[in-house]
Each structure stands twice: as C-alpha cells, then as structure tokens.
C-alpha cells in the first residue's frame, strides 16, 4: 500500500475548507458592485496600540525558546481575567485552590491548534470496546472534525437547529453512543448561530460528561462579543456543581482567544484552562508536539488580557452593527439578534443560491451555511445549514451598512 492510500483512508471524510468551496461556487461570476467580504470571520477592528509597543519592548526575547506553560505574568493576567469575567474569586484561583494557574492554564498559539491537539490527548484507542466517538454541534467549526479524524475517532455531527434553540441536544443521544464518546466539542457563543448556552445547559452537559467519562472541550472564543448579557462559562457552571468523585473542574477544558476579544487574529494567541489531571497531561503532550507562543507575543497577550477598555469598545462596535442589521433587515430572512459572536445566520431558503446572487448582483461575499455543516449523523435532519447564509459583521461600520443595504435589495 502506498503512503497516499494510508492518508486517504483516515481522511476520506475530511471536510473541505468552506472558503475554497465558496470560491468555486462563485467562479466565473463578476461582482455586481465593488466587493465587500462578509464571508470570513476575520476581525477588522483596530487593535490596541499597546500591543505593538509591548512586542517592541520585548523583541530581544525572540532570541529564546518560549516555555510551553507560558510565563508567570501571562498566567497571572489570564487568571485575573477569568476571575473578573466569570466571578471566580480568590477562593477559586491560586496554588492549592481548584484552579492553580501554574498547572491549569496554558497559552496556545491561537485556539485552533489547541482545539485540534486536544483530540489526541482525549481519545483512547478504544472506549467501551469500540471505536471512540467525538461529538460536535452541527453546523460546527471545521477544525473539530479534522481533529476527530486525525485522532482516529468517529466525528458525530449533532444538529443544532432553530427547533433546539441552535444548541445540540447531546443528552438525547443513544446510551451506546455516549458510552463510547471520548470528547464533546461545544461552542458558546456558537459560531455561526450566535446561540449562548445557559448555566443550566452547561451544568447538564458537565453532569452528562461525568456520567460517561467524557472530556468537554468548550470553545468560548466568542465569550467577549455579546449583545446584552455576558455569556456564562463552563468553569463558572462547574463551580455550582458538586463532584464527589473528583475535583471541581474535572472533565472540562475551556478555550479562549485574543483573536476576537482584542481583534488580534494575526497575533495567534489564546489560552486553555481546565481540570488539573487533564491539563497536566495536555501540557506534557504539548511540550513535545505543539507550537509555543513566542515570549514577546506572550507579553503583549498578558497586557491585552489585563485591559478591559479596548474589549468594551470592541463589543460596542459589534453591537452597533447588529443594531444596523436589525434596522436594515428587520424581520426578513429569519433575522434575530445573536446573543453572542459577530455573525448573522440568515434563513434565505437556499444558501448557495443566495451567495451566488449576492455576489453577482451586489458584490457581497457571504458563506453558504451548507459549507459549515454536514448531514446529521443520527439521520434526523438533512444538512441543517443548507437554507442559511453566514454573514460576518467584521468590516467597518460604513462598509457593513453598505453591504446590508445591498443584501436587502438583492435578496
Ligand atoms: C468557533 C471558533 N473556534 C475557534 C476559532 C479559532 O480562533 P483562533 O485560532 O484565532 O484563536 C475560530 C476562528 O474563527 C472560531 O470561529
């Protein structure tokens, strides 16, 4: 067998990246007006000036290999932010407390690599005597499926539709599936629907994970972009549960990013935090197999996690664009204000057709929801994203207003 055959076997079901698919879809069509890109969730807001200054001040540290566990300053800044953001007081964070920053917080080179790498550490060779499963919402961030396949697990796509409040119903899955589930990816606020899990939903999910020995990989990278209420977090939910068989944060690892909070997608900086036993295993794995965060980037990241004004301004900018969308789109295309994140998830009947029309007639590039989702693994619905388009509100307010106005005209 050639090396190619081996690769092909494992990744035969790997999802194609949505963006080349979109380019193929609109190939040969000229944009009807000057192009505005709303397909890519890449924040375009300005990032704070202190980031460049801090990198410059620390530039000589590019001459050193960075420690995988980060610097004490970075971990302290993250711990303080977690404390403020989720009300985790001094009785929670500190050495000999349920969350020891030195053991339970790790810097990551953007959350994508960490969401990918976590699958290797979470997936045993077999569970309940069978091939392990990794569950994920559907639609989903494409990295989750790639990670499950790379780790040798079966990715299981669990529909998150309007009928389920755009959140997956993991508890309703068959017992035999839950018994062989190694990990669940869950995203709140959700990309693309903007749904936010309540504390009760998170508590139920943690109970389910503990009953079945599952690791929860909770993607909270949109946690700071919200409409009215700050979304609850999984660490916060865990504090309200007792865990007689273990520690407070067992079965949980959360992922946070500066890409959205601070409009720094190119910095490649985030962190993960969670239960002690898992975080120690993850650190050991990362120490030999994962990318580190360069020291000057870590210094700038510590500064960003310590500063709230820019994050508040950033959130308000997104809110103004949601207001704009509400005004321009009104109640058409199933518009609703997303509780979190910066995407509109619009029901246009046929997402691919709408994406072609918007490009050809309005010059607006949006992503068909179909490219973010799959056939539901349990056969309960067909592709749950097919009727939708995802619109990223990442451009300037002027460009966003222009794009939304053209969308209302074309659709
Ligand atoms: C749901 C979700 N998770 C994770 C990421 C990765 O973010 P980053 O690697 O920039 O931290 C993204 C980026 O778009 C995302 O949408």
């Amino acid at each position: 067998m050639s090396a190619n055959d081996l690769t092909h076997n494992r990744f035969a079901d790997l999802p194609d990246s949505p963006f080349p698919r979109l380019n193929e879809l609109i190939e040969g069509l000229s944009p009807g007006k000057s192009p505005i890109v709303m397909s890519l969730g890449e924040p375009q807001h300005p990032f704070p000036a202190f980031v460049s200054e801090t990198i410059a001040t620390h530039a000589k540290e590019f001459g050193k290999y960075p420690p995988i566990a980060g610097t004490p300053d970075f971990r302290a800044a993250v711990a303080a932010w977690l404390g403020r953001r989720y009300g985790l007081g001094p009785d929670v964070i500190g050495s000999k407390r349920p969350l020891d920053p030195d053991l339970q917080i790790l810097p990551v080179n953007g959350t994508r690599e960490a969401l990918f790498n976590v699958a290797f550490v979470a997936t045993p060779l077999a569970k309940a005597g069978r091939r392990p499963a990794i569950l994920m919402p559907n639609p989903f961030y494409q990295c989750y499926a790639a990670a499950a396949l790379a780790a040798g697990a079966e990715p299981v796509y669990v529909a998150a539709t309007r009928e389920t409040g755009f959140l997956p119903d993991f508890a309703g899955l068959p017992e035999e599936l839950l018994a062989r589930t190694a990990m669940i990816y869950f995203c709140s606020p959700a990309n693309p629907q903007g749904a936010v899990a309540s504390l009760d939903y998170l508590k139920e999910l943690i109970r389910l994970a503990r009953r079945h020995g599952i690791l929860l990989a909770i993607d909270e990278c949109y946690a700071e972009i919200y409409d009215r209420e700050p979304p609850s977090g999984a660490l916060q939910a865990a504090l309200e549960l007792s865990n007689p068989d273990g520690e407070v944060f067992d079965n949980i690892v959360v992922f946070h990013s500066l890409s959205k909070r601070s409009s720094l997608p190119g910095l490649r900086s985030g962190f993960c935090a969670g239960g002690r036993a898992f975080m120690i295993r993850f650190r050991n794995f990362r120490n030999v197999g994962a990318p580190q965060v360069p020291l000057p980037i870590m210094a700038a990241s510590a500064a960003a996690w310590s500063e709230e004004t820019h994050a508040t301004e950033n959130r308000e900018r997104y809110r103004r664009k949601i207001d704009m969308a509400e005004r321009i789109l009104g109640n058409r295309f199933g518009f609703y204000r997303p509780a979190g994140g910066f995407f509109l998830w619009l029901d246009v009947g046929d997402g691919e057709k709408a994406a072609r029309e918007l490009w050809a007639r309005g010059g607006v590039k949006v992503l068909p929801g179909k490219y973010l989702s799959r056939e539901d693994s349990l056969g309960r619905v067909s592709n749950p994203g097919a009727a939708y388009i995802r619109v990223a509100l990442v451009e300037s307010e002027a460009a966003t207003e222009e794009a939304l106005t053209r969308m209302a005209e074309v659709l």
Side-chain angles (χ1 to χ4, degrees):
M1 196 188 275
S2 78
N4 268 348
D5 293 333
L6 281 177
T7 320
H8 179 75
N9 278 349
R10 178 168 282 193
F11 294 111
D13 199 32
L14 189 70
D16 289 328
S17 169
F19 304 105
R21 285 178 81 184
L22 173 59
N23 288 339
E24 235 169 78
L25 179 78
I26 60 174
E27 201 176 296
L29 297 177
S30 312
K33 292 187 174 160
S34 60
I36 307 179
V37 176
M38 317 280 277
S39 48
L40 203 59
E42 181 185 60
Q44 304 288 322
H45 297 172
F47 59 80
F50 64 76
V51 169
S52 316
E53 290 154 15
T54 312
I55 293 172
T57 309
H58 287 259
K60 62 180 181 309
E61 294 166 24
F62 280 123
K64 290 182 172 178
Y65 275 122
I68 201 76
T71 57
D73 280 357
F74 175 85
R75 294 192 299 268
V78 165
W81 177 78
L82 279 172
R84 288 196 303 279
R85 175 64 179 75
Y86 294 113
L88 314 180
D91 51 330
V92 178
I93 300 176
S95 68
K96 304 206 172 68
R97 304 265 186 266
L99 190 78
D100 177 351
D102 291 342
L103 297 178
Q104 291 169 261
I105 292 174
L106 285 173
V108 302
N109 203 295
T111 48
R112 184 168 84 162
E113 66 82 2
L115 286 160
F116 186 75
N117 279 302
V118 70
F120 296 105
V121 185
T123 309
L125 291 175
K127 193 163 177 223
R130 305 200 31 216
R131 183 184 180 196
I134 291 184
L135 315 182
M136 62 200 69
N138 188 23
F140 58 97
Y141 181 53
Q142 302 297 293
C143 165
Y144 307 159
L149 290 167
E154 178 195 350
V156 175
Y157 308 103
V158 184
T161 59
R162 186 181 283 275
E163 290 69 42
T164 60
F166 292 118
L167 297 173
D169 175 19
F170 293 117
L173 296 174
E175 284 290 309
E176 85 52 48
L177 173 58
L178 292 169
R180 66 184 176 93
T181 296
M183 184 168 78
I184 297 177
Y185 283 112
F186 179 64
C187 186
S188 173
N191 170 6
Q193 312 97 318
V196 164
S198 67
L199 262 189
D200 281 344
Y201 181 101
L202 292 167
K203 283 194 258 181
E204 265 316 300
L205 190 57
I206 296 168
R207 284 195 198 97
L208 182 82
R210 289 184 179 155
R211 245 188 340 267
H212 295 279
I214 296 168
L215 180 74
L216 297 175
I218 312 278
D219 182 347
E220 297 181 343
C221 77
Y222 293 94
E224 290 275 81
I225 316 294
Y226 53 83
D227 192 21
R228 308 278 188 228
E229 299 289 321
S232 303
L235 298 182
Q236 201 182 354
L239 275 183
E240 297 191 11
L241 292 176
S242 65
N243 186 18
D245 303 324
E247 296 183 13
V248 179
F249 299 120
D250 278 355
N251 300 73
I252 301 166
V253 51
V254 297
F255 297 82
H256 285 270
S257 178
L258 289 174
S259 300
K260 329 291 175 186
R261 176 183 192 269
S262 303
S263 301
L264 285 165
L267 193 70
R268 308 314 301 132
S269 181
F271 73 87
C272 60
R276 188 181 310 251
F278 180 79
M279 291 307 293
I280 290 171
R281 277 174 61 206
F282 199 25
R283 185 188 61 198
N284 293 342
F285 174 82
R286 293 182 61 76
N287 215 3
V288 288
Q292 307 97 316
V293 178
L295 284 164
I297 304 293
M298 207 143 22
S301 305
W305 287 114
S306 302
E307 213 279 334
E308 293 295 341
T309 309
H310 77 283
T312 306
E313 284 171 6
N314 195 32
R315 178 159 53 244
E316 279 164 4
R317 258 197 197 105
Y318 285 118
R319 205 175 276 144
R320 286 198 294 274
K321 290 190 276 186
I322 307 265
D323 290 344
M324 200 182 271
E326 187 166 36
R327 179 166 50 75
I328 296 171
L329 302 179
N331 53 9
R332 284 179 290 175
F333 324 118
F335 171 86
Y336 59 92
R337 291 183 76 94
F342 48 54
F343 298 108
L344 303 182
W345 185 237
L346 300 178
D347 184 347
V348 289
D350 178 341
E352 281 186 319
K353 182 163 168 270
R356 280 174 63 88
E357 273 175 18
L358 281 170
W359 180 248
R361 291 174 47 208
V364 181
K365 210 179 204 187
V366 301
L367 196 64
K370 188 178 174 180
Y371 301 171
L372 297 168
S373 43
R374 305 287 289 254
E375 298 300 306
D376 179 65
S377 293
L378 295 124
R380 296 178 294 197
V381 283
S382 59
N383 187 314
Y388 290 82
I389 51 172
R390 189 190 77 173
V391 183
L393 300 181
V394 290
E395 273 290 350
S396 69
E397 288 170 56
T400 302
E401 178 153 32
E402 173 65 24
L404 291 166
T405 307
R406 290 189 206 166
M407 284 173 58
E409 282 163 12
V410 170
L411 287 179

